Amino acid sequence: MKLNIAGAGAIGLLLGAGFADAGFDVRMLTRSPEQAALLRQEGITVERSGEKKVFQVEATAAPGEWSNAELTILAMKSYDLAGFLETAGGRLASSPLLFVQNGVAHLTMAESLPNPSSAFASVEHGAMKTGQTAVRHTGTGPLRIAPGKGDGAILRELALADTASFPVRLEEDAFRLLFSKALKNAIINPVTAIFGVRNGEIAESAELGRLAGMLHAELSGAFPDVADGVSLESVFDLCRRTAGNESSMLADIKSGRRTESDAILGGLIEEAARRGCRLPLLSGIAEMTAFLERRESDG
Amino acid sequence: MKLNIAGAGAIGLLLGAGFADAGFDVRMLTRSPEQAALLRQEGITVERSGEKKVFQVEATAAPGEWSNAELTILAMKSYDLAGFLETAGGRLASSPLLFVQNGVAHLTMAESLPNPSSAFASVEHGAMKTGQTAVRHTGTGPLRIAPGKGDGAILRELALADTASFPVRLEEDAFRLLFSKALKNAIINPVTAIFGVRNGEIAESAELGRLAGMLHAELSGAFPDVADGVSLESVFDLCRRTAGNESSMLADIKSGRRTESDAILGGLIEEAARRGCRLPLLSGIAEMTAFLERRESDG
């Protein structure tokens, strides 16, 4: 099966290697011709617990060569999605798409595309890009995939890639899959980012715990259909299990990188508004993270 | 006219000097006998634009000597009010009281006291305590006083102290007086404290400006009777006029001191609840400032 993987960041490289390992015919779509050339020459190197393994892939930065894949996995960050689809200029319009973005903002975008089928994934791997063609695999968690538009037959084929170090799980409900993760992210990410604390502090501090509880209550009110599976206790559990970790938003802000706030917080606020619900606390918090993001990237 | 002034911090000392200057018979009520002895010996020294002036006052730390004043001005911080009244042990129960606290939490407390009359003031002076008996007057603004319980006749006498350097203004509506100030404080104080920025940043940053707008909208919804006099534009104006200042909450947090969050944010949240209104954004923000306060005071 021929797979396009668009976006050769940490997650794109990890997925490319995982599916190549499972025998899929992987073609990486990159932004720069240089990275494509390097990937063709060197393949993708995955470092896992100090051991390195190389996986051969095709790669191209030329949109003219992007068509004729059975599935295109969109593995760029949410904020790069619109730019990528514009560059593709309709060449992927007949391809089934698998969206791998964090947050929920891309659900609406996916609906408006002409593609015959689309599916959504959440990635629970930890991965860090260490070079143009190299990724360090820091944590193994399932790639969960769920159908959006279309019958999802192709997802059953993808799920055959499932191994211990690259687990793939089929899920039924894309909305629930993405919103469950976004709800947790919408609590943990901004609270840790605003105060520069690690995840564990939310479970340890009485004040941040109450703040998390208020956010959880607000989100549960807007998304009761999702929140029944994401209890406040499960959020605290996640904070305890990842106590020493920096959330992605905190890490992004500290490094002066763009955060995924629009995709996660903005996406939830918009979807709530579509349901006639306001999220006043989350909306204020989104302005706070936007302020921090701009301040750090300015200076 | 015999005045008790309870609390010999920056504001207590400034008021003591101002009323002594106007010919009132001022007695400072202090917590420590040492400070009372120093005040009796040295008087209150006020430094204004580099010039020092001394005002003679009585002073005592002995609750047995607190009675027989025509008015007691309560000039301690809001969080010290309950402790002071307990120490007084009913000795001030027949005295008219003038409350000078920030925030609105003390309005409810005042209602429950047996005193025949009570009044409320807002202080717009800038003052910094520079010693046990000395205060630097850094900014002149009116002492605004308004009757609470009783006919307020005594306030008209107080207003005779009015001078250019110690302006005193009579106001009609204590609720409006305190809530107008608290609304502005509830926006400027926590936003500057959370991000460690000076007041001007709220008027300059698009994100903090929108955050201030959200807080203003939330508070206006709960207190429409007050908010019509406190436009968002007037809050931005205040931020611009005091652009280089650190808000009191930011200064308190940076110094590891207790903040007036309970009196200002907590008081507004409680009064809104009494009116059947929730303040979700302000409530979350109150947890944030409580977190910062505890973190800084823990060291």
Side-chain angles (χ1 to χ4, degrees):
Chain A
M1 176 174 168
K2 193 164 195 72
L3 274 186
N4 276 337
I5 298 186
I11 294 300
L13 292 172
L14 194 74
L15 295 179
F19 285 112
D21 194 29
F24 288 75
D25 186 5
V26 169
R27 175 169 55 194
M28 304 298 295
L29 313 188
T30 66
R31 207 182 308 205
S32 79
E34 293 71 24
Q35 191 184 11
L38 282 168
L39 283 165
R40 282 194 303 268
Q41 282 161 34
E42 303 174 0
I44 299 171
T45 304
V46 178
E47 184 192 328
R48 197 177 281 136
S49 328
E51 231 172 297
K52 287 183 181 178
K53 218 169 151 186
V54 176
F55 302 89
Q56 295 307 323
V57 293
E58 286 180 64
T60 172
E65 299 171 11
W66 290 358
S67 49
N68 83 355
E70 285 164 77
L71 176 71
T72 296
I73 300 183
L74 300 166
M76 67 289 297
K77 297 270 188 187
S78 183
Y79 47 73
D80 284 330
L81 198 50
F84 171 80
L85 292 171
E86 206 171 304
T87 305
R91 280 181 196 87
L92 300 170
S94 62
S95 171
L97 300 175
L98 175 64
F99 291 83
V100 189
Q101 286 65 36
N102 279 325
V104 297
H106 59 293
L107 275 162
T108 321
M109 183 189 289
E111 272 172 29
S112 67
L113 295 174
N115 299 60
S117 82
S118 57
F120 298 90
S122 94
V123 181
E124 297 176 24
H125 289 276
M128 186 192 289
K129 191 172 169 178
T130 53
Q132 291 271 69
T133 64
V135 61
R136 186 177 301 140
H137 195 178
T138 56
T140 298
L143 174 72
R144 297 183 189 277
I145 50 182
K149 194 158 60 174
D151 69 357
I154 209 160
L155 299 187
R156 286 189 288 279
E157 284 189 63
L158 267 193
L160 298 175
D162 180 54
T163 62
S165 61
F166 188 70
V168 183
R169 301 269 177 279
L170 266 179
E171 302 276 341
E172 285 183 4
D173 186 341
F175 181 89
R176 199 181 173 86
L177 175 65
L178 297 194
F179 272 73
S180 306
K181 191 178 175 195
L183 253 55
K184 292 181 187 175
N185 280 338
I187 297 172
I188 299 172
N189 265 318
V191 174
T192 53
I194 290 168
F195 296 106
V197 297
R198 290 174 189 271
N199 294 356
E201 187 79 23
I202 293 178
E204 280 162 34
S205 147
E207 298 87 2
L208 298 190
R210 283 193 297 267
L211 179 61
M214 290 176 184
L215 276 169
H216 183 266
E218 182 170 279
L219 288 162
S220 300
F223 305 109
D225 42 341
V226 182
D228 62 356
V230 186
S231 69
L232 179 58
E233 203 39 57
S234 75
V235 175
F236 288 141
D237 273 348
L238 179 57
C239 291
R240 283 185 210 103
R241 276 185 283 121
T242 60
N245 291 10
E246 283 189 346
S247 74
S248 60
M249 195 177 284
L250 173 57
D252 285 342
I253 283 178
K254 283 171 73 170
S255 314
R257 286 191 302 261
R258 185 162 175 185
T259 73
E260 294 180 288
S261 177
D262 286 348
I264 302 171
L265 312 191
L268 290 172
I269 291 165
E270 271 180 35
E271 178 58 26
R274 218 168 285 132
R275 294 171 171 218
C277 290
R278 294 175 56 249
L279 301 175
L281 179 53
L282 192 69
S283 301
I285 282 178
E287 293 297 345
M288 294 185 185
T289 60
F291 172 74
L292 291 175
E293 185 173 340
R294 190 183 48 73
R295 179 164 73 173
E296 294 306 315
S297 68
D298 283 358
Chain B
M1 177 173 166
K2 196 166 191 72
L3 275 186
N4 276 336
I5 298 186
I11 294 300
L13 291 174
L14 193 72
L15 295 179
F19 285 111
D21 193 29
F24 287 75
D25 185 4
V26 170
R27 174 167 57 193
M28 305 297 296
L29 312 188
T30 67
R31 208 182 310 208
S32 79
E34 291 73 23
Q35 192 184 10
L38 282 169
L39 283 166
R40 282 193 303 270
Q41 283 162 34
E42 302 175 0
I44 299 172
T45 303
V46 177
E47 183 192 329
R48 198 176 282 137
S49 324
E51 231 172 295
K52 286 183 182 178
K53 217 170 153 186
V54 176
F55 303 88
Q56 296 307 322
V57 292
E58 286 180 63
T60 172
E65 299 171 10
W66 291 358
S67 48
N68 84 354
E70 286 165 76
L71 176 72
T72 296
I73 300 182
L74 300 166
M76 67 288 296
K77 297 269 187 187
S78 183
Y79 46 73
D80 284 330
L81 197 50
F84 170 80
L85 292 171
E86 207 170 305
T87 305
R91 277 181 199 89
L92 300 172
S94 63
S95 171
L97 300 175
L98 174 65
F99 291 83
V100 188
Q101 285 65 38
N102 279 324
V104 298
H106 60 293
L107 274 163
T108 322
M109 183 190 289
E111 273 172 29
S112 67
L113 295 175
N115 298 60
S117 81
S118 57
F120 299 89
S122 95
V123 181
E124 296 177 24
H125 287 276
M128 188 192 288
K129 191 172 169 178
T130 54
Q132 292 271 70
T133 64
V135 61
R136 185 177 301 140
H137 195 177
T138 55
T140 299
L143 174 71
R144 297 183 190 277
I145 50 183
K149 196 159 57 175
D151 69 356
I154 207 160
L155 299 188
R156 285 189 289 277
E157 285 189 61
L158 267 192
L160 299 176
D162 181 53
T163 61
S165 61
F166 187 70
V168 183
R169 301 268 178 282
L170 266 179
E171 302 276 341
E172 286 184 4
D173 185 340
F175 182 89
R176 199 182 171 85
L177 175 66
L178 298 193
F179 272 73
S180 305
K181 190 177 176 196
L183 252 55
K184 292 181 187 175
N185 280 338
I187 297 172
I188 299 172
N189 265 317
V191 174
T192 52
I194 290 168
F195 296 107
V197 296
R198 291 175 187 268
N199 295 356
E201 187 80 23
I202 294 178
E204 279 162 33
S205 147
E207 299 86 2
L208 298 189
R210 283 193 297 266
L211 178 61
M214 290 177 184
L215 276 168
H216 183 266
E218 183 171 278
L219 288 162
S220 301
F223 305 108
D225 41 343
V226 182
D228 61 358
V230 186
S231 69
L232 179 58
E233 203 39 55
S234 74
V235 175
F236 288 142
D237 273 347
L238 179 57
C239 291
R240 282 186 211 105
R241 274 185 285 121
T242 60
N245 290 11
E246 283 189 347
S247 74
S248 60
M249 195 177 281
L250 172 56
D252 285 342
I253 283 178
K254 282 172 75 172
S255 315
R257 287 192 301 262
R258 185 160 174 189
T259 72
E260 295 180 287
S261 177
D262 286 348
I264 302 172
L265 312 190
L268 290 173
I269 292 164
E270 270 179 37
E271 178 59 26
R274 220 169 285 132
R275 295 170 171 220
C277 290
R278 293 175 56 250
L279 301 176
L281 179 53
L282 192 69
S283 301
I285 281 177
E287 293 297 347
M288 294 185 184
T289 60
F291 173 74
L292 290 175
E293 185 173 342
R294 189 182 51 71
R295 179 164 73 174
E296 294 307 315
S297 68
D298 284 358

